[in-house]
Amino acid sequence: MSVGKPIERLDAVAKVTGKARYTEDFTLQGMKHAVYVRSDIAHGMVKSINVDEASALTGVRAIFTYEDVPDILFATAGHPYSTDPGHRDPYDRNLLTKHVRYEGDEVAIVVADSELIARKAARLIKVEYDKLPVLNTPERILADDAEMIHPTGNIVGAHEFVVGGDMAEAIKSSEHTLENKYSTAMVQHFHLENHIAYAYMEDNENITVVSSTQIPHIARRIISEALDFPMGKIKVIKPYIGGGFGAKQDVVVEPMAAFLTLKMGGAPIQINLTREECLSCTRTRHPFLGTAKGGIDKNGKLTFMDVEVVSLTGAYASHGHAIAQAGGAKACTMYPRSVIRFNATTVYSNMPAAGAMRAYGTPQVIFFVENMMEELALKAGIDPLEFRLKNAGLPGDINPLNKKPILSHGLKECLEKGRKLIDWDKKKKRYKKFKDGTIRRGLGVACFSYASGTYPVLVEIASVRMALVQDGSVHVLTGATEIGQGSDTVFAQMASETTGISTDKIKVISTQDTDFSPFDTGSYASRQTYVGGQAIYKTAEKLKDNILAYAEEMTGVLANRLQIVGDKIVLIEQPDKTVVTLKDLSIDAHYHKDRGGQITAEVSYKTRTNAPSFGCTFVDIEVDIELCKVDIKEIINIHDSGKIINPILAKGQVHGGMGMSIGAALAEEMLIDDETGKVYNNNLLDYKMPTIMDTPDLKCDFVETEEPTASYGNKSLGEPPIISPAPAIRNAILDATGVAPSELPMSPKRLFELFKLEGLI
Amino acid sequence: MITKEIEFTVNGQLITLDVDIRKSLLDVLREEGLTSIKQGCGVGECGACTALIDDIPMDTCMYLAVWADGKDIRTSEGESRDGQVSKVQQAYIDAGAVQCGYCTPGFIMTSTAFVEKYKGQKVDRDLIRKEHSGNLCRCTGYETIVCAVESCLKD
Ligand code: FES
Ligand code: FES
């Protein structure tokens, strides 16, 4: 039995010794380096471009401008291909552009012997622009006479739904209603390993791209589309990757690397972005601006919630409107017994492009909802925790959006557990005396709901191949990608659980190579343990059956009398009696002259369910009014992610998400000038990613429900931990100070303005 | 290109190299195959390139290779010997302080220096935090990293 155990991660030693090889750690003889020439204005048309001085530099091998790239528009978002043309991501990018749409847009690229020379040459290229107006606020972007950022217009997508009943009636039945404005900031993934890829050719018609990507199979398709090059002749390899958080669920440098090698006779070409480029020229999180309304009846029931947002996708759509769509949909299951309206519009702007980022639009929507919930409870004069407990979903409630019953729903238990762990009731009373003066104390709570994958919006496909090796060990090949979250280890545990083979005999091949890794769309949407887990289960069952059938053939003992334990096949009734070892069986299967063959199993499976997952954050803070500073005294996340497969890895996911959310709550934001589109802080000194000093002790716990649609009872966990800490902190600030922040981040600068406005300082 | 011959010890081995004087120690160590030295920013902000130089954690991206002349350098590769990981490396594994692993070798060197410096002394989490503040990690929220270091000082 392996599921549920804190098994050491498979790649732990490789990583602590520094022997794990990431994309930059591979070099090829004669590798050349490519560096983009980026616009220094946020909106305009290239008027002229002069490469003479750069070309003359020793070591420069080639320069390509927007005039040299194929006239093909492509979409970069790492989504599975949609067979419905109306459902595809916007095809809005060329490899290089004449129309620059954000500060840092790509107009040319230099290839040189070293990165240093390429950067020097890139600086020598002179570009003149005809400037266009910079559009960075919804008012300007949506104005009737606004300049078009793309020929398709400035609106990328819009939708609305009302579910769970009649809105007018819900409003009528409310004792109190309210409406407030909220907004979230543009923040950065800040994966430690920057975006990097290199490409080369080994003949005249096949391209290999090695990339730090979450989505090797999708990357292959997009490269093929961007270059109009046959998909079967492209191979994408994903080695170890230094974090992604969604920024690498997008194709950023891969098509260009492939284009360059194609142009340069197959020479190996690397594109390795700098931290500065990574911060402002890859992907960010969509800022949301808008309102949330809600109503409460005289019994404390949430009658309705109504969220209206504008989402800024920046210069290119990338994941575009899918972010707001997913955010709205995923927030529907935490309080499923109310009427829910969600209205969203996604617009282009002259800012860095926003894409997928951990929890995909949901942190933004939940920030709106959970702020509104807090204020509604206060208005009605009930404890905000009681209000949430009363309205939290229960198993058997219907998901108002897809009308399907929610089979496991542990939100209420999470709230109850958190209440105890943080000592809510006692502290609530105790902190009543800390509501004035310089140092104030407050408690906050916020809930979330999420999903386990993207079905039914997108296909959920996972494929696995298992093979018995001659020594009796098992190799597991999957297209699902380990990006640090621990999926390889979890897959080994699942395979062990189902086959009976011990985990130390199971090797999950960590590198994906689209030439031989079975098809899977990759790491995103917290899908891998849920969706990939189904394929692992089915493959492991098959492998076990194939092994036992061969044991019967070999030994004459009927397969239904046999089971695998560790590295042996034993009698079910007498487990201490070895019938044959896996090693002996495998040698026989491989080398017996008259029977056998390699024992393998392969399954490709589409998951057609999507279990919501739940949880909440409790936080205890101190606010220093004079310093406008929030000090987190205690913070706890409690999650219902179904059965926990590996408690150490699970906690790691929770801590990581909490840390990121605390950063987004208190410090992180990309600062962009409304007038010029200039990015002020695309470096780590000015972009306040939390250091170890800024991050408090993090606690977490689980409510282990059993999800019947998952092979191992599990639900999503990778992204959810980032959702609720920020609104919980915000609600604690409100509790401590009586001041209700409505914008992220709640940095000292912003709190100063608020406290001043409210007369606290 | 101007070069200079330097002699230094890397993970216990004395080596002599003729290096381009413009190169950082990060470049030179990586060229030597010590790719545990990662580049996360190249300008001294992230700590992914940390090595111990005479037992002090340094950002090698900000340290010219020529300055390493006569110095003793340690990297994560050298901390595991004969297939055995070091105490600090094992503590990171046991605490679950490894995720994507990109910050890990750098962090491990900072922790190694810390543990050697404070061996036998009582330290609190604040001090651990303070002395690891030059290393950034986006995956772990630092929680398990602090726990790993604490556990090294326990016995
Ligand atoms: S690479 Fe040296 S500190 Fe970031
Ligand atoms: S483990 Fe990924 S950055 Fe630290």
Side-chain angles (χ1 to χ4, degrees):
Chain A
M1 295 292 117
S2 178
V3 160
K5 298 243 168 74
I7 304 279
E8 175 180 317
R9 53 182 304 142
L10 303 183
D11 52 14
V13 172
K15 287 176 174 174
V16 294
T17 56
K19 287 177 183 152
R21 284 185 180 267
Y22 299 73
T23 303
E24 196 182 356
D25 303 333
F26 297 95
T27 47
L28 283 174
Q29 223 29 285
M31 190 182 262
K32 305 283 176 273
H33 300 263
V35 167
Y36 284 104
V37 177
R38 298 186 178 279
S39 68
D40 55 7
I41 62 162
H43 200 193
M45 290 286 178
V46 176
K47 196 159 65 178
S48 71
I49 183 160
N50 183 337
V51 302
D52 295 348
E53 218 181 318
S55 315
L57 206 65
T58 309
V60 170
R61 297 300 178 117
I63 297 172
F64 301 94
T65 72
Y66 61 86
E67 284 176 339
D68 305 314
V69 297
D71 185 17
I72 300 173
L73 287 170
F74 61 102
T76 63
H79 287 142
Y81 182 72
S82 176
T83 50
D84 169 8
H87 214 103
R88 292 190 195 136
D89 295 297
Y91 284 59
D92 65 0
R93 266 196 203 249
N94 289 113
L95 282 176
L96 296 167
T97 184
K98 177 183 165 82
H99 181 174
V100 301
R101 298 175 168 100
Y102 72 100
E103 185 202 58
D105 212 344
E106 294 145 4
V107 298
I109 193 158
V110 181
V111 182
D113 291 345
S114 74
E115 200 180 314
L116 205 67
I117 298 170
R119 292 212 179 273
K120 193 167 170 191
R123 281 197 299 272
L124 294 174
I125 292 176
K126 293 186 186 66
V127 189
E128 286 183 321
Y129 299 94
D130 284 322
K131 283 192 182 177
L132 290 168
V134 170
L135 307 175
N136 273 343
T137 58
E139 300 72 49
R140 282 192 208 166
I141 297 162
L142 293 168
D144 290 337
D145 58 346
E147 194 72 35
M148 300 238 269
I149 299 174
H150 285 271
T152 46
N154 290 348
I155 297 181
V156 182
H159 81 297
E160 177 178 303
F161 64 75
V162 183
V163 294
D166 183 80
M167 189 51 95
E169 259 170 45
I171 295 173
K172 231 174 39 209
S173 70
S174 307
E175 180 104 337
H176 302 279
T177 60
L178 61 75
E179 171 173 356
N180 278 323
K181 273 191 170 163
Y182 303 107
S183 68
T184 61
M186 176 185 282
V187 293
Q188 252 297 338
H189 309 75
F190 195 79
H191 34 80
L192 252 277
E193 180 198 26
N194 291 312
H195 282 76
I196 178 169
Y198 66 91
Y200 59 93
M201 297 174 78
E202 288 175 304
D203 57 19
N204 287 336
E205 48 188 50
N206 289 280
I207 302 175
T208 300
V209 180
V210 181
S211 171
S212 176
T213 176
Q214 299 172 220
I215 46 160
H217 275 105
I218 294 179
R220 178 177 62 169
R221 171 180 56 80
I222 301 177
I223 295 166
S224 152
E225 288 175 354
L227 306 185
D228 190 20
F229 193 85
M231 206 185 307
K233 296 192 173 189
I234 299 167
K235 115 162 147 174
V236 176
I237 297 176
K238 184 233 85 160
Y240 283 111
I241 129 167
F245 310 114
K248 296 171 185 171
Q249 189 207 340
D250 220 301
V251 165
V252 175
V253 290
E254 297 89 339
M256 178 53 90
F259 167 76
L260 292 175
T261 194
L262 203 55
K263 278 280 179 188
M264 301 194 63
I269 316 277
Q270 185 197 68
I271 306 176
N272 187 4
L273 298 188
T274 61
R275 177 57 61 191
E276 291 72 20
E277 285 179 294
C278 222
L279 281 164
S280 57
C281 310
T282 59
R283 302 291 179 268
T284 68
R285 190 191 282 287
H286 290 71
F288 278 22
L289 303 93
T291 58
K293 295 182 212 165
I296 182 170
D297 73 8
K298 54 182 182 314
N299 302 316
K301 180 182 178 292
L302 175 71
T303 48
F304 73 94
M305 57 189 204
D306 180 346
V307 176
E308 231 177 275
V309 300
V310 174
S311 164
L312 301 179
T313 203
Y316 296 92
S318 171
H319 288 250
H321 192 57
I323 299 285
Q325 275 174 320
K330 288 172 184 183
C332 280
T333 51
M334 54 181 181
Y335 309 124
R337 299 184 300 274
S338 57
V339 179
I340 302 171
R341 176 175 174 271
F342 183 71
N343 175 299
T345 307
T346 301
V347 296
Y348 285 119
S349 58
N350 295 119
M351 297 173 173
M357 183 172 169
R358 199 172 195 169
Y360 211 86
T362 313
Q364 294 97 310
V365 174
I366 299 262
F367 184 73
F368 282 48
V369 170
E370 285 299 273
N371 291 355
M372 178 278 288
M373 287 292 286
E374 190 76 10
E375 278 148 76
L376 203 50
L378 294 181
K379 193 165 180 186
I382 47 176
D383 179 73
L385 175 57
E386 296 296 346
F387 182 42
R388 288 180 173 86
L389 277 165
K390 187 162 182 86
N391 290 285
L394 296 167
D397 273 344
I398 302 297
N399 174 345
L401 201 56
N402 65 14
K403 314 282 186 274
K404 296 224 169 81
I406 302 163
L407 301 175
S408 62
H409 201 314
L411 180 55
K412 219 173 151 202
E413 287 159 86
C414 289
L415 284 167
E416 270 151 8
K417 197 165 202 174
R419 172 187 220 151
K420 277 204 202 96
L421 289 173
I422 202 133
D423 206 3
W424 178 272
D425 299 270
K426 252 201 222 134
K427 279 186 184 164
K428 264 274 164 192
K429 276 187 212 127
R430 196 144 61 81
Y431 291 175
K432 280 199 178 120
K433 0 184 234 300
F434 297 103
K435 304 295 183 199
D436 47 27
T438 299
I439 304 292
R440 304 190 187 183
R441 296 296 294 263
L443 285 181
V445 60
C447 302
F448 75 84
S449 52
Y450 202 62
S452 304
T454 61
Y455 187 81
V457 177
L458 299 168
V459 68
E460 278 302 358
I461 178 170
S463 315
V464 174
R465 179 171 196 267
M466 296 186 187
L468 191 64
V469 184
Q470 289 96 314
D471 65 357
S473 65
V474 171
H475 280 186
V476 178
L477 278 143
T478 160
T481 50
E482 168 67 69
I483 64 165
Q485 80 283 51
S487 60
D488 283 353
T489 309
V490 160
F491 288 151
Q493 289 178 256
M494 291 173 165
S496 165
E497 183 83 11
T498 300
T499 57
I501 300 169
S502 48
T503 37
D504 62 338
K505 291 266 174 274
I506 296 173
K507 175 171 169 179
V508 179
I509 312 302
S510 198
T511 297
Q512 275 67 40
D513 176 327
T514 53
D515 272 4
F516 61 77
S517 299
F519 187 82
D520 183 295
T521 47
S523 175
Y524 56 84
S526 301
R527 60 185 289 279
Q528 292 199 150
T529 47
Y530 185 75
V531 172
Q534 323 277 34
I536 291 276
Y537 171 73
K538 289 184 163 40
T539 317
E541 278 285 331
K542 240 188 183 176
L543 181 77
K544 182 178 70 180
D545 290 349
N546 294 347
I547 290 172
L548 295 182
Y550 193 70
E552 176 177 323
E553 187 176 347
M554 209 180 139
T555 65
V557 184
L558 292 179
N560 62 6
R561 299 283 162 146
L562 297 172
Q563 65 172 346
I564 309 173
V565 177
D567 58 357
K568 301 179 188 68
I569 293 161
V570 301
L571 289 174
I572 294 174
E573 298 82 20
Q574 283 170 267
D576 52 341
K577 178 115 185 52
T578 302
V579 176
V580 59
T581 64
L582 274 177
K583 184 175 174 191
D584 290 345
L585 175 132
S586 190
I587 297 268
D588 191 276
H590 280 91
Y591 300 115
H592 194 289
K593 293 202 188 84
D594 300 310
R595 66 174 181 222
Q598 187 185 18
I599 299 180
T600 60
E602 184 152 0
V603 169
S604 184
Y605 182 74
K606 288 185 180 170
T607 295
R608 276 148 293 176
T609 52
N610 188 343
S613 65
F614 306 94
C616 54
T617 302
F618 282 83
V619 64
D620 174 353
I621 63 163
E622 191 174 276
V623 184
D624 185 322
I625 302 289
E626 275 169 16
L627 292 179
C628 304
K629 213 172 159 296
V630 175
D631 187 10
I632 296 175
K633 294 290 177 195
E634 195 174 357
I635 184 160
I636 311 172
N637 261 35
I638 300 107
H639 288 262
D640 162 21
S641 287
K643 278 284 191 225
I644 297 302
I645 310 295
N646 184 321
I648 289 202
L649 296 178
K651 278 184 198 153
Q653 287 306 293
V654 179
H655 294 148
M658 290 173 81
M660 281 176 129
S661 188
I662 291 170
L666 298 177
E668 291 181 48
E669 68 184 313
M670 298 281 294
L671 294 166
I672 296 163
D673 192 287
D674 274 351
E675 301 299 320
T676 62
K678 184 156 191 49
V679 181
Y680 287 123
N681 60 342
N682 62 341
N683 63 74
L684 282 172
L685 287 182
D686 300 318
Y687 181 86
K688 299 297 179 192
M689 132 108 189
T691 69
I692 197 166
M693 298 270 279
D694 305 313
T695 312
D697 289 349
L698 305 171
K699 295 187 189 160
C700 67
D701 213 324
F702 299 95
V703 166
E704 292 199 44
T705 58
E706 175 81 41
E707 170 56 38
T709 62
S711 300
Y712 302 92
N714 55 297
K715 306 193 278 187
S716 62
L717 182 60
E719 299 162 283
I722 201 177
I723 304 171
S724 51
I729 294 168
R730 181 267 181 192
N731 292 338
I733 297 175
L734 170 57
D735 183 47
T737 64
V739 175
S742 58
E743 294 172 22
L744 288 178
M746 299 168 291
S747 55
K749 183 184 89 183
R750 190 151 290 137
L751 290 183
F752 172 74
E753 289 161 0
L754 270 179
F755 290 169
K756 213 165 155 192
L757 198 72
E758 302 281 338
L760 266 61
I761 41 179
Chain B
M1 185 174 79
I2 306 170
T3 64
K4 183 174 181 255
E5 195 170 286
I6 58 167
E7 192 180 77
F8 59 122
T9 313
V10 181
N11 296 329
Q13 254 197 330
L14 190 69
I15 50 176
T16 310
L17 288 176
D18 196 29
V19 297
D20 179 341
I21 58 156
R22 298 169 305 175
K23 282 199 169 157
S24 67
L25 184 57
L26 174 143
D27 292 330
V28 168
L29 291 175
R30 285 183 60 83
E31 282 162 17
E32 279 297 293
L34 297 165
T35 50
S36 76
I37 303 293
K38 301 291 182 213
Q39 175 161 300
C41 69
V43 292
E45 293 164 352
C46 77
C49 62
T50 306
L52 300 191
I53 301 178
D54 289 343
D55 295 326
I56 295 172
M58 293 278 195
D59 292 333
T60 55
C61 68
M62 303 263 288
Y63 193 95
L64 282 177
V66 291
W67 296 341
D69 192 26
K71 301 271 195 272
D72 180 41
I73 316 261
R74 289 163 66 188
T75 71
S76 268
E77 285 97 342
E79 294 301 301
S80 94
R81 278 181 214 104
D82 310 322
Q84 213 47 50
V85 297
S86 74
K87 189 172 163 180
V88 173
Q89 288 172 327
Q90 189 60 48
Y92 269 67
I93 296 175
D94 294 342
V98 182
Q99 289 192 33
C100 81
Y102 209 74
C103 72
T104 309
F107 252 110
I108 286 198
M109 295 323 292
T110 301
S111 297
T112 300
F114 183 85
V115 169
E116 286 169 3
K117 179 167 157 195
Y118 291 100
K119 208 170 27 208
Q121 298 178 42
K122 247 190 115 57
V123 302
D124 58 12
R125 289 170 77 92
D126 280 347
L127 184 66
I128 296 175
R129 285 202 156 90
K130 206 161 148 219
E131 298 216 4
H132 285 76
S133 58
N135 292 75
L136 295 178
C137 173
R138 191 58 149 174
C139 297
T140 63
Y142 307 106
E143 174 64 29
T144 46
I145 293 177
V146 178
C147 293
V149 178
E150 257 184 330
S151 78
C152 289
L153 290 158
K154 262 190 194 129
D155 31 67

